[in-house]
Amino acid sequence: MKDHDQGYSLLRMFQEHPGQFLSGEEISRRLSISRTAVWKQINKLRSLGYEFEALPRLGYRMVDEPDVLDEQLLGAGMKSRYFGKQIKLLDRTISTQEDARELAEAGAPEGTLVISEEQTGGRGRMGRKFHSPRGKGIWMSLILRPKQPLHLTQQLTLLTGVAVCRAIGKSAGVQTQIKWPNDILYEGKKVCGILLESTAEDGRIRYCVAGIGISVNLKETDFPEELRSVATSVRMAGGNVVNRTELIQTIMQEMEVLYELYNEQGFEPIASAWEALSGTVGREVRVQSGQGDFTGTATGLNKDGALMVRSDAGEMVPVYSGEILFNTR
């Protein structure tokens, strides 16, 4: 029996005996493979997102199966008119941002969505690595072709944050907050990161790629040790496994509604929606930026999308880029 067939047959055995332990001896006999080969196949299934409990004398029991995305099911359930109507679904990639950029350069229309089950080189702001394990989250990038000036693309980051925050609330019943400019938090821990990158020519935007990375069904043990104190997942927050397909579809619907509102009425309604969901406004913060560091109180957004901070000296300072840290003094 070929290696692939062994893995498939093993999986079928567990699916035919839900919740039951199968001994290594029984598996070995039924598949005509060694006990060592059984162990190797179990580990291969684990690498694909299947979870097993192993106990001496009892053997193995499958306790969780991965939620596998299906391109046809995703497309068939899209409630949006054009966002997410063209989908490229990948099993594994370095970064959906780079894949979406290539498609945009080749002329892919606005609303084209790239999704991957796993990213090996996902990026966040300031070049930080983004943890994107297989089958546990939503790692996707959306192509936008806005008509706004280049200096206003920050507004699209804020728009995306509102869409994701609303979608998580609708699909999973989990109420999250937005930390300026691009993090979605639950009780102070990061659930989602957003990265918007633009390509311009002669001062005009050719396209933007909105990268969205959501820790959906990760458990605490799925996070590296160094992230467990600062990161969480929608599943951990709400206590239930979340349907990733439904969440993606809801994000696309919310994105499209807000994007059309933005194109019709400008940034003001987006700013109001962002401030209503913000976990930053009203907080004492420390700002770290290229213009220097200072402390103050976040008061809201200005018309461009910058965070307005009243410094401890009483000056209103617009923050266009940099790092916002919550002050616990």
Side-chain angles (χ1 to χ4, degrees):
M1 188 183 290
K2 292 182 179 179
D3 190 69
H4 175 77
D5 294 333
Q6 290 175 5
Y8 179 74
S9 297
L10 179 58
L11 180 58
R12 285 293 302 274
M13 284 179 64
F14 283 109
Q15 290 172 335
E16 290 167 359
H17 298 82
Q20 297 180 29
F21 280 95
L22 298 177
S23 70
E25 183 180 352
E26 180 184 358
I27 297 170
S28 174
R29 178 179 54 79
R30 289 177 60 176
L31 297 185
S32 300
I33 59 177
S34 68
R35 297 283 291 273
T36 301
V38 170
W39 179 78
K40 287 181 178 178
Q41 291 299 332
I42 290 283
N43 284 338
K44 283 185 179 179
L45 289 173
R46 280 176 170 149
S47 72
L48 295 174
Y50 295 89
E51 295 183 21
F52 295 89
E53 180 182 5
L55 293 176
R57 294 187 295 278
L58 289 178
Y60 303 95
R61 179 168 69 99
M62 189 164 69
V63 295
D64 200 6
E65 295 187 59
D67 170 21
V68 180
L69 296 173
D70 180 274
E71 193 169 323
Q72 287 187 317
L73 287 177
L74 273 167
M78 283 291 177
K79 301 177 183 69
S80 48
R81 290 184 296 109
Y82 61 102
F83 275 22
K85 284 298 183 180
Q86 290 199 28
I87 300 172
K88 182 173 184 180
L89 178 60
L90 305 168
D91 180 66
R92 192 180 198 222
T93 191
I94 296 173
S95 166
T96 59
Q97 287 291 92
E98 300 307 320
D99 298 312
R101 190 196 308 277
E102 289 179 10
L103 289 176
E105 289 286 352
E110 184 168 67
T112 299
L113 182 64
V114 179
I115 311 170
S116 184
E117 286 285 13
E118 179 184 9
Q119 285 187 130
T120 58
R123 292 179 291 112
R125 284 177 73 234
M126 303 179 183
R128 297 183 180 123
K129 187 175 179 181
F130 196 89
H131 182 58
S132 329
R134 170 178 292 277
K136 298 282 188 175
I138 292 173
W139 327 119
M140 65 183 185
S141 297
L142 180 71
I143 296 174
L144 302 173
R145 296 190 181 275
K147 297 178 174 59
Q148 285 75 12
L150 181 61
H151 73 280
L152 294 182
T153 53
Q154 167 79 354
Q155 296 175 349
L156 294 174
T157 300
L158 303 173
L159 182 156
T160 304
V162 173
V164 172
C165 208
R166 285 182 173 180
I168 290 173
K170 286 184 177 180
S171 291
V174 174
Q175 303 308 312
T176 53
Q177 292 184 317
I178 311 171
K179 178 188 175 187
W180 190 91
N182 66 338
D183 287 343
I184 308 296
L185 307 181
Y186 178 79
E187 295 184 349
K189 291 187 175 184
K190 184 171 177 176
V191 170
C192 167
I194 293 163
L195 178 65
L196 195 123
E197 297 177 305
S198 303
T199 297
E201 194 172 89
D202 299 327
R204 297 174 64 87
I205 300 173
R206 291 180 54 225
Y207 61 84
C208 296
V209 176
I212 301 169
I214 310 173
S215 298
V216 182
N217 286 323
L218 283 79
K219 295 186 291 189
E220 185 177 11
T221 52
D222 293 318
F223 287 101
E225 189 76 39
E226 65 271 16
L227 294 181
R228 292 178 188 175
S229 63
V230 295
T232 188
S233 71
V234 183
R235 175 181 180 175
M236 290 167 65
N240 297 303
V241 174
V242 178
N243 186 310
R244 292 187 299 152
T245 296
E246 181 184 322
L247 181 51
I248 291 168
Q249 292 164 343
T250 307
I251 292 170
M252 289 298 100
Q253 184 181 27
E254 292 291 330
M255 278 285 293
E256 187 173 277
V257 167
L258 290 170
Y259 191 68
E260 290 180 344
L261 177 66
Y262 176 64
N263 287 332
E264 291 168 7
Q265 300 183 27
F267 182 58
E268 188 174 343
I270 306 302
S272 296
W274 187 92
E275 289 176 350
L277 293 168
S278 171
T280 305
V281 173
R283 295 281 299 271
E284 291 189 351
V285 297
R286 187 180 339 135
V287 180
Q288 297 179 339
S289 70
Q291 284 69 49
D293 298 357
F294 67 96
T295 57
T297 303
T299 62
L301 302 174
N302 72 2
K303 62 183 179 61
D304 292 337
L307 182 68
M308 298 301 297
V309 178
R310 182 186 291 108
S311 73
D312 290 343
E315 181 185 2
M316 291 297 291
V317 182
V319 180
Y320 288 92
S321 63
E323 192 77 8
I324 298 294
L325 303 174
F326 293 136
N327 204 336
T328 56
R329 51 180 191 178

